[in-house]
Amino acid sequence: MTMFRALFAAALGVSLIATPALAERSHDQRRDDQRRAAQARDQQRDEQTRDQARDQDRAFEATRQGRSMPLPNIERKVMPFMDGADYLGPELNGDTYRLKFMRSGRVIWVDVDAATGRILRRSKP
């Protein structure tokens, strides 16, 4: 019986000593995971910023060369057809602007020829 008590006491002592080390390791892992997630978010945000800058540069150059209408002119041409939908912003896809609108919780995409301002396609609301 004393042997059992000694083994039990030893096992209890080891478990009490090991528990804080395991908890600390878990905390370090969580902190590392949070750091990696933050770095991934920062990298994604940086890529989006670079993409937006490239789109702006391409749009500016196309407007400067006369291949594209200025975006505010295109927006003014399209807005009357959108029946009060909220305008969320543009994307430039080659020679086409894709304007994003929202109405009643639904997204509406309007593709517009950048050179003429003519509406090419419109998604269903």
Side-chain angles (χ1 to χ4, degrees), residues 25-98:
R25 181 170 179 242
S26 176
H27 176 72
D28 289 344
Q29 285 175 337
R30 281 194 307 264
R31 188 176 50 219
D32 289 344
D33 290 346
Q34 290 171 345
R35 186 180 309 121
R36 279 192 291 276
Q39 288 172 341
R41 281 192 307 271
D42 290 346
Q43 183 178 3
Q44 184 178 15
R45 190 176 333 112
D46 291 345
E47 288 171 6
Q48 288 172 342
T49 301
R50 282 191 297 273
D51 289 346
Q52 289 171 347
R54 278 191 291 265
D55 281 351
Q56 289 171 353
D57 291 343
R58 283 189 3 237
F60 174 78
E61 193 60 31
T63 301
R64 191 179 70 74
Q65 294 175 356
R67 293 182 291 119
S68 175
M69 291 177 63
L71 179 61
N73 294 1
I74 290 174
E75 292 168 338
R76 279 194 294 274
K77 286 182 94 171
V78 173
M79 291 295 212
F81 297 101
M82 296 312 299
D83 300 324
D86 294 324
Y87 180 52
L88 303 178
E91 293 177 4
L92 180 61
N93 299 322
D95 294 333
T96 305
Y97 275 105
R98 176 167 272 191

Side-chain angles (χ1 to χ4, degrees), residues 74 78 82 89-93 95-101 108-114 116-123:
I74 290 174
V78 173
M82 296 312 299
E91 293 177 4
L92 180 61
N93 299 322
D95 294 333
T96 305
Y97 275 105
R98 176 167 272 191
L99 307 182
K100 184 177 181 180
F101 293 86
I108 304 166
W109 296 100
V110 179
D111 292 340
V112 181
D113 184 296
T116 65
R118 187 173 61 92
I119 295 176
L120 303 173
R121 282 177 294 282
R122 178 178 166 173
S123 67

